[in-house]
Amino acid sequence: MKNEESLIATLLRLVAAMLPFILFGLIYTSMRYLPSYEFRPVDIQDLYEAERALFGITLQDGSVATPNEWFALHTSTVADCLAGIFYICWVPLPLAFAFFLFFTGRRELCFRFASAFLLVNLIGFVGYYIHPAAPPWYVMRFGFEPIYDTGGYVAGLGRFDELIHLPVFTTIYSGNANVFAAVPSLHAAYCPVACYYAMKAHQRTWTLVLALFSAGIWWTAIYSGHHYTIDVLLGVATAILGLTVYESFLMRTGWWRRGFNAYVSRLN
């Protein structure tokens, strides 16, 4: 009986520690009911032209392609396999790190990481509504005309599904809650946030793994046609902004710190 009570208590504390992740999931899912394109016009061509002007690659015929278009012409089985491995970990790896912190007794840092993760997402979500933007695959498929009822698309990650003969990414992207949410790329933000807290926890292995997957996800976002380089850079900037606001402002603000400490005291 005592073991069962102890297990239930631990599970309740785990849910409490992971509450920011749960809120993130609920808020993201709810965005399908409030599409960003209903609030502001979708940026399709201007973003594409900016990407080509800043990061364009000159092809043999003299035309200038975006990095996404260049990668679409230079795919390989090895690159497709690596892309799938990197991108499937964009949320699971930070979550695994949070579980690691919780079950190794670092519950204060676990909730701190989860809270900062939520703040980074909220900043990114605001960006989606301020500047709705189409991903590169949209331009490759439909050009520059807005088609607002467009569903999610697997893009280059479909090649990974073909390699393993399972519709992993096809299933994930068929339920995409917000197609016109390319800027900033929150895929690019998650592992760097986790990496920051891995450094704070003095976890060298976790830091190296998260740093590697950060770079891998940045590359995959462009390689697979899901994000422009601009999106990725703004995603990294969102992570930095969120961490700066959280650590340098909120955690040094009396009312937040008191509430944070009171909440964390219940996790131990």
Side-chain angles (χ1 to χ4, degrees), residues 97 112 116 191-201 207 210 243 247:
F97 175 62
R112 191 164 176 164
C191 279
V193 173
C195 188
Y196 172 81
Y197 286 99
M199 290 189 288
K200 285 184 73 70
T207 300
L210 287 163
L243 286 171
E247 291 293 335

Side-chain angles (χ1 to χ4, degrees), residues 65-92:
T66 65
N68 312 94
E69 293 169 332
W70 186 90
F71 275 126
L73 299 172
H74 298 83
T75 63
S76 73
T77 300
V78 173
D80 291 338
C81 185
L82 287 173
I85 293 171
F86 283 129
Y87 229 53
I88 199 66
C89 291
W90 65 291
V91 166

Side-chain angles (χ1 to χ4, degrees), residues 36-37 42 44 128 131-135 138 146-148 150 178-182:
S36 56
Y37 60 77
V42 177
I44 302 175
Y128 292 165
H131 191 85
Y138 181 94
I147 305 173
Y148 294 124
T150 303
N178 194 351
V179 169
F180 299 111

Side-chain angles (χ1 to χ4, degrees), residues 14-243:
L14 176 61
V15 171
M18 298 295 170
L19 184 59
F21 289 108
I22 297 170
L23 290 174
F24 148 69
L26 292 173
I27 295 169
Y28 175 77
T29 302
S30 70
M31 289 196 299
R32 72 176 69 252
Y33 304 109
L34 292 170
S36 56
Y37 60 77
E38 291 187 356
F39 295 85
R40 294 183 65 85
V42 177
D43 183 351
I44 302 175
Q45 186 167 0
D46 288 348
L47 182 60
Y48 171 85
E49 296 294 352
E51 176 78 3
R52 194 168 65 163
L54 292 171
F55 304 104
I57 300 170
T58 302
L59 304 180
Q60 290 183 345
D61 62 3
S63 62
V64 178
T66 65
N68 312 94
E69 293 169 332
W70 186 90
F71 275 126
L73 299 172
H74 298 83
T75 63
S76 73
T77 300
V78 173
D80 291 338
C81 185
L82 287 173
I85 293 171
F86 283 129
Y87 229 53
I88 199 66
C89 291
W90 65 291
V91 166
L93 191 59
L95 269 177
F97 175 62
F99 278 108
F100 169 80
L101 291 176
F102 182 88
F103 286 109
T104 55
R106 302 178 185 187
R107 296 181 182 180
E108 185 271 346
L109 193 59
C110 174
F111 186 68
R112 191 164 176 164
F113 161 49
S115 301
F117 180 91
L118 176 60
L119 177 61
V120 168
N121 275 283
L122 293 177
I123 294 171
F125 294 164
V126 169
Y128 292 165
Y129 286 91
I130 291 175
H131 191 85
W137 62 256
Y138 181 94
V139 174
M140 293 178 186
R141 293 188 76 195
F142 305 114
F144 300 121
E145 291 300 317
I147 305 173
Y148 294 124
D149 59 351
T150 303
Y153 181 59
V154 68
L157 292 170
R159 295 190 294 270
F160 179 80
D161 286 1
E162 293 172 3
L163 285 174
I164 64 173
H165 303 291
L166 289 171
V168 176
F169 288 104
T170 302
T171 301
I172 291 172
Y173 281 99
S174 65
N176 192 345
N178 194 351
V179 169
F180 299 111
V183 178
S185 168
L186 289 177
H187 287 83
Y190 294 160
C191 279
V193 173
C195 188
Y196 172 81
Y197 286 99
M199 290 189 288
K200 285 184 73 70
H202 304 291
Q203 290 292 319
R204 179 177 295 181
T205 300
W206 272 107
T207 300
L208 291 174
V209 169
L210 287 163
L212 172 63
F213 273 80
S214 293
I217 289 170
W218 299 340
W219 165 76
T220 301
I222 301 167
Y223 174 79
S224 66
H226 278 278
H227 286 286
Y228 294 113
T229 310
I230 293 171
D231 308 345
V232 171
L233 292 175
L234 289 174
V236 175
T238 299
I240 295 171
L241 174 61
L243 286 171

